[in-house]
Amino acid sequence: MDQTIERSSNANRTFRVQAPLVDSVSCYCNVDSGLKTVAGARKFVSGSKLCIQSDISSHAHKTKNSRRERSRVQPPLLPGLPDDLAIACLVRVPHVEHSKLRLVCKRWYRLLAGNFFYSQRKSLGMAEEWVYVVKRDRDRRISWHAFDPTYQLWQPLPPVPGDYSEALGFGCAVLSGCHLYLFGGKDPIKGSMRRVIFYNARTNKWYRAPDMLRRRHFFGSCVINNCLYVAGGECEGIQRTLRSAEVFDPNRKRWSFIADMSTAMVPFIGVVYDGKWFVKGLGSHREVLSEAYNPDINAWSPVNSRMVAGWRNPSISMNGRLYALDCRDGCKLRVYDESTHSWIRFIDSKLHLGSSRALEAAALVPLNGKLCIIHNNMSISIVDVSSPDNQLTKFRLYK
């Protein structure tokens, strides 16, 4: 990967690695454990999502044929080493090389496809966080790419299934720690879809999942307790704007309806905060609406008007605090004060990038305890919200 790095003369360092200009929706993924996703470019997907790591089973790497395999002698994972020592070696291989490891033999493929292998990486502190970005080319076709921020390497994901190659207004989220879901959206020919697919980061393949109960596009979505929630949006027909909402449980592999929203809405902001899902959007008459969903009681409720008035997109909940950007290029950040129900200035980096569409902030995501601001040209600004001076680092990712 060709890259250039620049360092500023002041105390705060600035890193820039140049990349081509693209419209993007960003998905941030801890490929070994506890993934986080954000989809923020308003042109394509609205809202933000946070997923919860599923339980890890030390026997999850065993297959249906494991009994048959135990009945015959298997070659060692690494010649000359017992399997436990071989696994101890393999778990230390960087994740960017795992696609090559899967090609060695079937035993290595099965090992890398299971939870046991990644639970060992997590226990040894080897877990890595990656950045997944969906890009549109000039023909409006989308493709997913993964960036490894540790080694600064890009690699493409397998081609997305045809139904999503040109879709608009779809949702994306990560469930069960390693599954990147794409759901709903609008196909240029077929219209609104119920279709759901997911990418498994451990097998590097796309799969089908159960369809949603309603066709919808440009809807809101979030992840709470490893369950995927969707609400509102649009669909062709007389009732174009939707009130309905539903939830997907990956353990049961089924969708279920939940309580309808009070008013039909097309959400353009969403965040999980204080155990509730807050959404803000436009009603059927283009009026601004907002509601909060409480999964514990399966009910929607009004949102404090002062919170809604200052709530901008993108936004995110991190360490129990709600953050939102106060400028298009992400140079100013605000935090919500629950005691006064007001938004207060948190940081002004003084590093204004400009007013072009390419430099607008598309998404926020927590990454290694820091807050990352993603721009439409795939550049990233990192804010250390725990630092007294809120040190901000900027760098660009170029492919």
Side-chain angles (χ1 to χ4, degrees), residues 218-220 231-234 241-243 261 263-269 279-284 287 289-291:
F218 292 116
F219 49 87
E234 293 184 340
T241 307
L242 303 175
R243 294 178 53 201
M261 307 176 76
T263 310
M265 182 196 306
V266 178
F268 56 82
I269 307 181
V279 293
K280 178 180 177 180
L282 296 177
S284 55
E287 71 277 22
L289 303 171
S290 59
E291 292 190 56

mmCIF file with all atom_site columns, all heavy atoms in Angstrom, residues 218-220 231-234 241-243 261 263-269 279-284 287 289-291:
data_model
loop_
_atom_site.group_PDB
_atom_site.id
_atom_site.type_symbol
_atom_site.label_atom_id
_atom_site.label_alt_id
_atom_site.label_comp_id
_atom_site.label_asym_id
_atom_site.label_entity_id
_atom_site.label_seq_id
_atom_site.pdbx_PDB_ins_code
_atom_site.Cartn_x
_atom_site.Cartn_y
_atom_site.Cartn_z
_atom_site.occupancy
_atom_site.B_iso_or_equiv
_atom_site.pdbx_formal_charge
_atom_site.auth_seq_id
_atom_site.auth_comp_id
_atom_site.auth_asym_id
_atom_site.auth_atom_id
_atom_site.pdbx_PDB_model_num
ATOM 1   N N   . PHE A 1 218 ? -34.390 2.763  3.968  1.00 0.00 ? 218 PHE A N   1
ATOM 2   C CA  . PHE A 1 218 ? -34.139 4.000  4.713  1.00 0.00 ? 218 PHE A CA  1
ATOM 3   C C   . PHE A 1 218 ? -34.818 3.958  6.084  1.00 0.00 ? 218 PHE A C   1
ATOM 4   O O   . PHE A 1 218 ? -35.534 4.882  6.482  1.00 0.00 ? 218 PHE A O   1
ATOM 5   C CB  . PHE A 1 218 ? -34.590 5.230  3.915  1.00 0.00 ? 218 PHE A CB  1
ATOM 6   C CG  . PHE A 1 218 ? -33.768 5.484  2.701  1.00 0.00 ? 218 PHE A CG  1
ATOM 7   C CD1 . PHE A 1 218 ? -34.334 5.413  1.436  1.00 0.00 ? 218 PHE A CD1 1
ATOM 8   C CD2 . PHE A 1 218 ? -32.415 5.780  2.805  1.00 0.00 ? 218 PHE A CD2 1
ATOM 9   C CE1 . PHE A 1 218 ? -33.568 5.627  0.299  1.00 0.00 ? 218 PHE A CE1 1
ATOM 10  C CE2 . PHE A 1 218 ? -31.651 6.002  1.677  1.00 0.00 ? 218 PHE A CE2 1
ATOM 11  C CZ  . PHE A 1 218 ? -32.220 5.924  0.425  1.00 0.00 ? 218 PHE A CZ  1
ATOM 12  N N   . PHE A 1 219 ? -34.577 2.898  6.803  1.00 0.00 ? 219 PHE A N   1
ATOM 13  C CA  . PHE A 1 219 ? -35.153 2.679  8.133  1.00 0.00 ? 219 PHE A CA  1
ATOM 14  C C   . PHE A 1 219 ? -34.081 2.879  9.193  1.00 0.00 ? 219 PHE A C   1
ATOM 15  O O   . PHE A 1 219 ? -32.902 3.080  8.882  1.00 0.00 ? 219 PHE A O   1
ATOM 16  C CB  . PHE A 1 219 ? -35.734 1.267  8.225  1.00 0.00 ? 219 PHE A CB  1
ATOM 17  C CG  . PHE A 1 219 ? -34.774 0.202  7.752  1.00 0.00 ? 219 PHE A CG  1
ATOM 18  C CD1 . PHE A 1 219 ? -33.841 -0.363 8.608  1.00 0.00 ? 219 PHE A CD1 1
ATOM 19  C CD2 . PHE A 1 219 ? -34.792 -0.213 6.429  1.00 0.00 ? 219 PHE A CD2 1
ATOM 20  C CE1 . PHE A 1 219 ? -32.954 -1.326 8.173  1.00 0.00 ? 219 PHE A CE1 1
ATOM 21  C CE2 . PHE A 1 219 ? -33.906 -1.181 5.964  1.00 0.00 ? 219 PHE A CE2 1
ATOM 22  C CZ  . PHE A 1 219 ? -32.981 -1.736 6.842  1.00 0.00 ? 219 PHE A CZ  1
ATOM 23  N N   . GLY A 1 220 ? -34.474 2.805  10.453 1.00 0.00 ? 220 GLY A N   1
ATOM 24  C CA  . GLY A 1 220 ? -33.524 2.865  11.557 1.00 0.00 ? 220 GLY A CA  1
ATOM 25  C C   . GLY A 1 220 ? -33.209 1.466  12.049 1.00 0.00 ? 220 GLY A C   1
ATOM 26  O O   . GLY A 1 220 ? -34.041 0.551  11.932 1.00 0.00 ? 220 GLY A O   1
ATOM 27  N N   . ALA A 1 231 ? -36.808 -0.353 12.603 1.00 0.00 ? 231 ALA A N   1
ATOM 28  C CA  . ALA A 1 231 ? -38.079 0.357  12.779 1.00 0.00 ? 231 ALA A CA  1
ATOM 29  C C   . ALA A 1 231 ? -38.231 1.425  11.715 1.00 0.00 ? 231 ALA A C   1
ATOM 30  O O   . ALA A 1 231 ? -37.246 2.015  11.250 1.00 0.00 ? 231 ALA A O   1
ATOM 31  C CB  . ALA A 1 231 ? -38.162 0.988  14.172 1.00 0.00 ? 231 ALA A CB  1
ATOM 32  N N   . GLY A 1 232 ? -39.497 1.686  11.355 1.00 0.00 ? 232 GLY A N   1
ATOM 33  C CA  . GLY A 1 232 ? -39.803 2.773  10.443 1.00 0.00 ? 232 GLY A CA  1
ATOM 34  C C   . GLY A 1 232 ? -39.292 2.527  9.046  1.00 0.00 ? 232 GLY A C   1
ATOM 35  O O   . GLY A 1 232 ? -39.166 1.394  8.578  1.00 0.00 ? 232 GLY A O   1
ATOM 36  N N   . GLY A 1 233 ? -39.018 3.607  8.342  1.00 0.00 ? 233 GLY A N   1
ATOM 37  C CA  . GLY A 1 233 ? -38.536 3.524  6.973  1.00 0.00 ? 233 GLY A CA  1
ATOM 38  C C   . GLY A 1 233 ? -39.642 3.728  5.964  1.00 0.00 ? 233 GLY A C   1
ATOM 39  O O   . GLY A 1 233 ? -40.737 4.207  6.290  1.00 0.00 ? 233 GLY A O   1
ATOM 40  N N   . GLU A 1 234 ? -39.348 3.344  4.735  1.00 0.00 ? 234 GLU A N   1
ATOM 41  C CA  . GLU A 1 234 ? -40.298 3.515  3.641  1.00 0.00 ? 234 GLU A CA  1
ATOM 42  C C   . GLU A 1 234 ? -40.506 2.198  2.909  1.00 0.00 ? 234 GLU A C   1
ATOM 43  O O   . GLU A 1 234 ? -39.671 1.291  2.971  1.00 0.00 ? 234 GLU A O   1
ATOM 44  C CB  . GLU A 1 234 ? -39.801 4.567  2.644  1.00 0.00 ? 234 GLU A CB  1
ATOM 45  C CG  . GLU A 1 234 ? -39.750 5.978  3.193  1.00 0.00 ? 234 GLU A CG  1
ATOM 46  C CD  . GLU A 1 234 ? -39.334 6.986  2.130  1.00 0.00 ? 234 GLU A CD  1
ATOM 47  O OE1 . GLU A 1 234 ? -38.735 6.574  1.120  1.00 0.00 ? 234 GLU A OE1 1
ATOM 48  O OE2 . GLU A 1 234 ? -39.625 8.179  2.310  1.00 0.00 ? 234 GLU A OE2 1
ATOM 49  N N   . THR A 1 241 ? -44.740 5.545  4.331  1.00 0.00 ? 241 THR A N   1
ATOM 50  C CA  . THR A 1 241 ? -43.934 5.666  5.547  1.00 0.00 ? 241 THR A CA  1
ATOM 51  C C   . THR A 1 241 ? -44.453 4.680  6.592  1.00 0.00 ? 241 THR A C   1
ATOM 52  O O   . THR A 1 241 ? -45.658 4.581  6.819  1.00 0.00 ? 241 THR A O   1
ATOM 53  C CB  . THR A 1 241 ? -44.010 7.103  6.098  1.00 0.00 ? 241 THR A CB  1
ATOM 54  O OG1 . THR A 1 241 ? -43.670 8.021  5.063  1.00 0.00 ? 241 THR A OG1 1
ATOM 55  C CG2 . THR A 1 241 ? -43.041 7.278  7.253  1.00 0.00 ? 241 THR A CG2 1
ATOM 56  N N   . LEU A 1 242 ? -43.531 3.952  7.228  1.00 0.00 ? 242 LEU A N   1
ATOM 57  C CA  . LEU A 1 242 ? -43.893 2.832  8.102  1.00 0.00 ? 242 LEU A CA  1
ATOM 58  C C   . LEU A 1 242 ? -43.816 3.183  9.579  1.00 0.00 ? 242 LEU A C   1
ATOM 59  O O   . LEU A 1 242 ? -42.981 3.988  9.998  1.00 0.00 ? 242 LEU A O   1
ATOM 60  C CB  . LEU A 1 242 ? -42.979 1.639  7.815  1.00 0.00 ? 242 LEU A CB  1
ATOM 61  C CG  . LEU A 1 242 ? -42.951 1.119  6.369  1.00 0.00 ? 242 LEU A CG  1
ATOM 62  C CD1 . LEU A 1 242 ? -41.912 0.020  6.232  1.00 0.00 ? 242 LEU A CD1 1
ATOM 63  C CD2 . LEU A 1 242 ? -44.323 0.611  5.965  1.00 0.00 ? 242 LEU A CD2 1
ATOM 64  N N   . ARG A 1 243 ? -44.700 2.552  10.370 1.00 0.00 ? 243 ARG A N   1
ATOM 65  C CA  . ARG A 1 243 ? -44.650 2.615  11.831 1.00 0.00 ? 243 ARG A CA  1
ATOM 66  C C   . ARG A 1 243 ? -44.098 1.330  12.431 1.00 0.00 ? 243 ARG A C   1
ATOM 67  O O   . ARG A 1 243 ? -43.669 1.304  13.580 1.00 0.00 ? 243 ARG A O   1
ATOM 68  C CB  . ARG A 1 243 ? -46.056 2.830  12.409 1.00 0.00 ? 243 ARG A CB  1
ATOM 69  C CG  . ARG A 1 243 ? -46.714 4.156  12.094 1.00 0.00 ? 243 ARG A CG  1
ATOM 70  C CD  . ARG A 1 243 ? -48.109 4.179  12.695 1.00 0.00 ? 243 ARG A CD  1
ATOM 71  N NE  . ARG A 1 243 ? -48.080 3.851  14.121 1.00 0.00 ? 243 ARG A NE  1
ATOM 72  C CZ  . ARG A 1 243 ? -49.127 3.405  14.809 1.00 0.00 ? 243 ARG A CZ  1
ATOM 73  N NH1 . ARG A 1 243 ? -50.273 3.197  14.192 1.00 0.00 ? 243 ARG A NH1 1
ATOM 74  N NH2 . ARG A 1 243 ? -49.022 3.163  16.100 1.00 0.00 ? 243 ARG A NH2 1
ATOM 75  N N   . MET A 1 261 ? -44.108 2.055  16.335 1.00 0.00 ? 261 MET A N   1
ATOM 76  C CA  . MET A 1 261 ? -43.793 3.423  16.723 1.00 0.00 ? 261 MET A CA  1
ATOM 77  C C   . MET A 1 261 ? -45.099 4.215  16.840 1.00 0.00 ? 261 MET A C   1
ATOM 78  O O   . MET A 1 261 ? -46.120 3.859  16.231 1.00 0.00 ? 261 MET A O   1
ATOM 79  C CB  . MET A 1 261 ? -42.862 4.066  15.701 1.00 0.00 ? 261 MET A CB  1
ATOM 80  C CG  . MET A 1 261 ? -41.601 3.262  15.416 1.00 0.00 ? 261 MET A CG  1
ATOM 81  S SD  . MET A 1 261 ? -40.580 3.990  14.121 1.00 0.00 ? 261 MET A SD  1
ATOM 82  C CE  . MET A 1 261 ? -39.835 5.341  15.007 1.00 0.00 ? 261 MET A CE  1
ATOM 83  N N   . THR A 1 263 ? -45.719 7.105  15.645 1.00 0.00 ? 263 THR A N   1
ATOM 84  C CA  . THR A 1 263 ? -45.986 7.777  14.374 1.00 0.00 ? 263 THR A CA  1
ATOM 85  C C   . THR A 1 263 ? -45.062 7.215  13.311 1.00 0.00 ? 263 THR A C   1
ATOM 86  O O   . THR A 1 263 ? -43.915 6.880  13.593 1.00 0.00 ? 263 THR A O   1
ATOM 87  C CB  . THR A 1 263 ? -45.763 9.297  14.499 1.00 0.00 ? 263 THR A CB  1
ATOM 88  O OG1 . THR A 1 263 ? -46.467 9.801  15.627 1.00 0.00 ? 263 THR A OG1 1
ATOM 89  C CG2 . THR A 1 263 ? -46.233 10.018 13.248 1.00 0.00 ? 263 THR A CG2 1
ATOM 90  N N   . ALA A 1 264 ? -45.559 7.101  12.093 1.00 0.00 ? 264 ALA A N   1
ATOM 91  C CA  . ALA A 1 264 ? -44.721 6.644  10.990 1.00 0.00 ? 264 ALA A CA  1
ATOM 92  C C   . ALA A 1 264 ? -43.537 7.597  10.802 1.00 0.00 ? 264 ALA A C   1
ATOM 93  O O   . ALA A 1 264 ? -43.688 8.811  10.889 1.00 0.00 ? 264 ALA A O   1
ATOM 94  C CB  . ALA A 1 264 ? -45.550 6.559  9.715  1.00 0.00 ? 264 ALA A CB  1
ATOM 95  N N   . MET A 1 265 ? -42.369 7.036  10.547 1.00 0.00 ? 265 MET A N   1
ATOM 96  C CA  . MET A 1 265 ? -41.157 7.857  10.520 1.00 0.00 ? 265 MET A CA  1
ATOM 97  C C   . MET A 1 265 ? -40.111 7.241  9.605  1.00 0.00 ? 265 MET A C   1
ATOM 98  O O   . MET A 1 265 ? -40.018 6.019  9.477  1.00 0.00 ? 265 MET A O   1
ATOM 99  C CB  . MET A 1 265 ? -40.587 7.983  11.948 1.00 0.00 ? 265 MET A CB  1
ATOM 100 C CG  . MET A 1 265 ? -39.340 8.848  12.064 1.00 0.00 ? 265 MET A CG  1
ATOM 101 S SD  . MET A 1 265 ? -38.436 8.602  13.634 1.00 0.00 ? 265 MET A SD  1
ATOM 102 C CE  . MET A 1 265 ? -39.724 8.889  14.850 1.00 0.00 ? 265 MET A CE  1
ATOM 103 N N   . VAL A 1 266 ? -39.313 8.121  8.994  1.00 0.00 ? 266 VAL A N   1
ATOM 104 C CA  . VAL A 1 266 ? -38.107 7.710  8.277  1.00 0.00 ? 266 VAL A CA  1
ATOM 105 C C   . VAL A 1 266 ? -36.922 8.219  9.093  1.00 0.00 ? 266 VAL A C   1
ATOM 106 O O   . VAL A 1 266 ? -36.545 9.390  8.998  1.00 0.00 ? 266 VAL A O   1
ATOM 107 C CB  . VAL A 1 266 ? -38.067 8.300  6.854  1.00 0.00 ? 266 VAL A CB  1
ATOM 108 C CG1 . VAL A 1 266 ? -36.767 7.883  6.153  1.00 0.00 ? 266 VAL A CG1 1
ATOM 109 C CG2 . VAL A 1 266 ? -39.270 7.826  6.052  1.00 0.00 ? 266 VAL A CG2 1
ATOM 110 N N   . PRO A 1 267 ? -36.328 7.375  9.961  1.00 0.00 ? 267 PRO A N   1
ATOM 111 C CA  . PRO A 1 267 ? -35.253 7.840  10.847 1.00 0.00 ? 267 PRO A CA  1
ATOM 112 C C   . PRO A 1 267 ? -33.992 8.219  10.075 1.00 0.00 ? 267 PRO A C   1
ATOM 113 O O   . PRO A 1 267 ? -33.629 7.571  9.100  1.00 0.00 ? 267 PRO A O   1
ATOM 114 C CB  . PRO A 1 267 ? -34.999 6.617  11.743 1.00 0.00 ? 267 PRO A CB  1
ATOM 115 C CG  . PRO A 1 267 ? -36.225 5.769  11.617 1.00 0.00 ? 267 PRO A CG  1
ATOM 116 C CD  . PRO A 1 267 ? -36.697 5.988  10.209 1.00 0.00 ? 267 PRO A CD  1
ATOM 117 N N   . PHE A 1 268 ? -33.335 9.290  10.522 1.00 0.00 ? 268 PHE A N   1
ATOM 118 C CA  . PHE A 1 268 ? -32.033 9.642  9.959  1.00 0.00 ? 268 PHE A CA  1
ATOM 119 C C   . PHE A 1 268 ? -30.961 9.752  11.036 1.00 0.00 ? 268 PHE A C   1
ATOM 120 O O   . PHE A 1 268 ? -29.790 9.943  10.727 1.00 0.00 ? 268 PHE A O   1
ATOM 121 C CB  . PHE A 1 268 ? -32.108 10.934 9.137  1.00 0.00 ? 268 PHE A CB  1
ATOM 122 C CG  . PHE A 1 268 ? -32.638 12.136 9.879  1.00 0.00 ? 268 PHE A CG  1
ATOM 123 C CD1 . PHE A 1 268 ? -31.820 12.888 10.696 1.00 0.00 ? 268 PHE A CD1 1
ATOM 124 C CD2 . PHE A 1 268 ? -33.967 12.500 9.742  1.00 0.00 ? 268 PHE A CD2 1
ATOM 125 C CE1 . PHE A 1 268 ? -32.295 13.999 11.362 1.00 0.00 ? 268 PHE A CE1 1
ATOM 126 C CE2 . PHE A 1 268 ? -34.458 13.617 10.406 1.00 0.00 ? 268 PHE A CE2 1
ATOM 127 C CZ  . PHE A 1 268 ? -33.626 14.368 11.224 1.00 0.00 ? 268 PHE A CZ  1
ATOM 128 N N   . ILE A 1 269 ? -31.338 9.639  12.316 1.00 0.00 ? 269 ILE A N   1
ATOM 129 C CA  . ILE A 1 269 ? -30.377 9.551  13.421 1.00 0.00 ? 269 ILE A CA  1
ATOM 130 C C   . ILE A 1 269 ? -30.862 8.459  14.363 1.00 0.00 ? 269 ILE A C   1
ATOM 131 O O   . ILE A 1 269 ? -32.065 8.334  14.622 1.00 0.00 ? 269 ILE A O   1
ATOM 132 C CB  . ILE A 1 269 ? -30.250 10.870 14.207 1.00 0.00 ? 269 ILE A CB  1
ATOM 133 C CG1 . ILE A 1 269 ? -29.940 12.046 13.293 1.00 0.00 ? 269 ILE A CG1 1
ATOM 134 C CG2 . ILE A 1 269 ? -29.141 10.758 15.274 1.00 0.00 ? 269 ILE A CG2 1
ATOM 135 C CD1 . ILE A 1 269 ? -29.790 13.369 14.028 1.00 0.00 ? 269 ILE A CD1 1
ATOM 136 N N   . VAL A 1 279 ? -34.320 7.445  18.377 1.00 0.00 ? 279 VAL A N   1
ATOM 137 C CA  . VAL A 1 279 ? -34.349 7.701  16.941 1.00 0.00 ? 279 VAL A CA  1
ATOM 138 C C   . VAL A 1 279 ? -34.949 9.078  16.679 1.00 0.00 ? 279 VAL A C   1
ATOM 139 O O   . VAL A 1 279 ? -35.799 9.560  17.429 1.00 0.00 ? 279 VAL A O   1
ATOM 140 C CB  . VAL A 1 279 ? -35.168 6.625  16.181 1.00 0.00 ? 279 VAL A CB  1
ATOM 141 C CG1 . VAL A 1 279 ? -34.479 5.286  16.237 1.00 0.00 ? 279 VAL A CG1 1
ATOM 142 C CG2 . VAL A 1 279 ? -36.583 6.535  16.720 1.00 0.00 ? 279 VAL A CG2 1
ATOM 143 N N   . LYS A 1 280 ? -34.465 9.692  15.629 1.00 0.00 ? 280 LYS A N   1
ATOM 144 C CA  . LYS A 1 280 ? -34.962 10.992 15.196 1.00 0.00 ? 280 LYS A CA  1
ATOM 145 C C   . LYS A 1 280 ? -35.099 10.938 13.684 1.00 0.00 ? 280 LYS A C   1
ATOM 146 O O   . LYS A 1 280 ? -34.202 10.445 12.990 1.00 0.00 ? 280 LYS A O   1
ATOM 147 C CB  . LYS A 1 280 ? -33.986 12.098 15.602 1.00 0.00 ? 280 LYS A CB  1
ATOM 148 C CG  . LYS A 1 280 ? -34.370 13.504 15.162 1.00 0.00 ? 280 LYS A CG  1
ATOM 149 C CD  . LYS A 1 280 ? -33.315 14.507 15.623 1.00 0.00 ? 280 LYS A CD  1
ATOM 150 C CE  . LYS A 1 280 ? -33.611 15.918 15.157 1.00 0.00 ? 280 LYS A CE  1
ATOM 151 N NZ  . LYS A 1 280 ? -32.581 16.888 15.613 1.00 0.00 ? 280 LYS A NZ  1
ATOM 152 N N   . GLY A 1 281 ? -36.251 11.401 13.161 1.00 0.00 ? 281 GLY A N   1
ATOM 153 C CA  . GLY A 1 281 ? -36.460 11.308 11.729 1.00 0.00 ? 281 GLY A CA  1
ATOM 154 C C   . GLY A 1 281 ? -37.554 12.222 11.242 1.00 0.00 ? 281 GLY A C   1
ATOM 155 O O   . GLY A 1 281 ? -37.981 13.147 11.945 1.00 0.00 ? 281 GLY A O   1
ATOM 156 N N   . LEU A 1 282 ? -38.017 11.951 10.021 1.00 0.00 ? 282 LEU A N   1
ATOM 157 C CA  . LEU A 1 282 ? -39.041 12.760 9.387  1.00 0.00 ? 282 LEU A CA  1
ATOM 158 C C   . LEU A 1 282 ? -40.330 11.963 9.255  1.00 0.00 ? 282 LEU A C   1
ATOM 159 O O   . LEU A 1 282 ? -40.305 10.783 8.882  1.00 0.00 ? 282 LEU A O   1
ATOM 160 C CB  . LEU A 1 282 ? -38.584 13.216 7.999  1.00 0.00 ? 282 LEU A CB  1
ATOM 161 C CG  . LEU A 1 282 ? -37.365 14.140 7.943  1.00 0.00 ? 282 LEU A CG  1
ATOM 162 C CD1 . LEU A 1 282 ? -37.007 14.431 6.490  1.00 0.00 ? 282 LEU A CD1 1
ATOM 163 C CD2 . LEU A 1 282 ? -37.620 15.430 8.706  1.00 0.00 ? 282 LEU A CD2 1
ATOM 164 N N   . GLY A 1 283 ? -41.445 12.612 9.552  1.00 0.00 ? 283 GLY A N   1
ATOM 165 C CA  . GLY A 1 283 ? -42.744 11.981 9.409  1.00 0.00 ? 283 GLY A CA  1
ATOM 166 C C   . GLY A 1 283 ? -43.240 12.039 7.975  1.00 0.00 ? 283 GLY A C   1
ATOM 167 O O   . GLY A 1 283 ? -42.558 12.529 7.060  1.00 0.00 ? 283 GLY A O   1
ATOM 168 N N   . SER A 1 284 ? -44.461 11.552 7.760  1.00 0.00 ? 284 SER A N   1
ATOM 169 C CA  . SER A 1 284 ? -45.029 11.499 6.411  1.00 0.00 ? 284 SER A CA  1
ATOM 170 C C   . SER A 1 284 ? -45.250 12.876 5.816  1.00 0.00 ? 284 SER A C   1
ATOM 171 O O   . SER A 1 284 ? -45.357 13.022 4.597  1.00 0.00 ? 284 SER A O   1
ATOM 172 C CB  . SER A 1 284 ? -46.352 10.725 6.442  1.00 0.00 ? 284 SER A CB  1
ATOM 173 O OG  . SER A 1 284 ? -47.246 11.296 7.384  1.00 0.00 ? 284 SER A OG  1
ATOM 174 N N   . GLU A 1 287 ? -42.307 16.450 8.844  1.00 0.00 ? 287 GLU A N   1
ATOM 175 C CA  . GLU A 1 287 ? -42.078 17.058 10.150 1.00 0.00 ? 287 GLU A CA  1
ATOM 176 C C   . GLU A 1 287 ? -41.049 16.234 10.917 1.00 0.00 ? 287 GLU A C   1
ATOM 177 O O   . GLU A 1 287 ? -40.916 15.022 10.720 1.00 0.00 ? 287 GLU A O   1
ATOM 178 C CB  . GLU A 1 287 ? -43.389 17.138 10.953 1.00 0.00 ? 287 GLU A CB  1
ATOM 179 C CG  . GLU A 1 287 ? -43.928 15.815 11.465 1.00 0.00 ? 287 GLU A CG  1
ATOM 180 C CD  . GLU A 1 287 ? -44.734 15.036 10.446 1.00 0.00 ? 287 GLU A CD  1
ATOM 181 O OE1 . GLU A 1 287 ? -44.551 15.290 9.221  1.00 0.00 ? 287 GLU A OE1 1
ATOM 182 O OE2 . GLU A 1 287 ? -45.514 14.155 10.839 1.00 0.00 ? 287 GLU A OE2 1
ATOM 183 N N   . LEU A 1 289 ? -39.608 14.217 13.926 1.00 0.00 ? 289 LEU A N   1
ATOM 184 C CA  . LEU A 1 289 ? -40.168 13.393 14.998 1.00 0.00 ? 289 LEU A CA  1
ATOM 185 C C   . LEU A 1 289 ? -39.041 12.694 15.747 1.00 0.00 ? 289 LEU A C   1
ATOM 186 O O   . LEU A 1 289 ? -37.938 12.520 15.224 1.00 0.00 ? 289 LEU A O   1
ATOM 187 C CB  . LEU A 1 289 ? -41.125 12.345 14.422 1.00 0.00 ? 289 LEU A CB  1
ATOM 188 C CG  . LEU A 1 289 ? -42.308 12.862 13.595 1.00 0.00 ? 289 LEU A CG  1
ATOM 189 C CD1 . LEU A 1 289 ? -43.019 11.689 12.933 1.00 0.00 ? 289 LEU A CD1 1
ATOM 190 C CD2 . LEU A 1 289 ? -43.263 13.647 14.483 1.00 0.00 ? 289 LEU A CD2 1
ATOM 191 N N   . SER A 1 290 ? -39.319 12.283 16.966 1.00 0.00 ? 290 SER A N   1
ATOM 192 C CA  . SER A 1 290 ? -38.335 11.542 17.746 1.00 0.00 ? 290 SER A CA  1
ATOM 193 C C   . SER A 1 290 ? -39.038 10.648 18.751 1.00 0.00 ? 290 SER A C   1
ATOM 194 O O   . SER A 1 290 ? -40.093 11.016 19.293 1.00 0.00 ? 290 SER A O   1
ATOM 195 C CB  . SER A 1 290 ? -37.373 12.497 18.471 1.00 0.00 ? 290 SER A CB  1
ATOM 196 O OG  . SER A 1 290 ? -38.095 13.357 19.333 1.00 0.00 ? 290 SER A OG  1
ATOM 197 N N   . GLU A 1 291 ? -38.460 9.478  19.011 1.00 0.00 ? 291 GLU A N   1
ATOM 198 C CA  . GLU A 1 291 ? -39.000 8.532  19.981 1.00 0.00 ? 291 GLU A CA  1
ATOM 199 C C   . GLU A 1 291 ? -37.857 7.714  20.556 1.00 0.00 ? 291 GLU A C   1
ATOM 200 O O   . GLU A 1 291 ? -36.757 7.677  19.989 1.00 0.00 ? 291 GLU A O   1
ATOM 201 C CB  . GLU A 1 291 ? -40.027 7.599  19.336 1.00 0.00 ? 291 GLU A CB  1
ATOM 202 C CG  . GLU A 1 291 ? -41.313 8.257  18.889 1.00 0.00 ? 291 GLU A CG  1
ATOM 203 C CD  . GLU A 1 291 ? -42.360 7.221  18.497 1.00 0.00 ? 291 GLU A CD  1
ATOM 204 O OE1 . GLU A 1 291 ? -42.675 6.352  19.325 1.00 0.00 ? 291 GLU A OE1 1
ATOM 205 O OE2 . GLU A 1 291 ? -42.852 7.297  17.354 1.00 0.00 ? 291 GLU A OE2 1
#
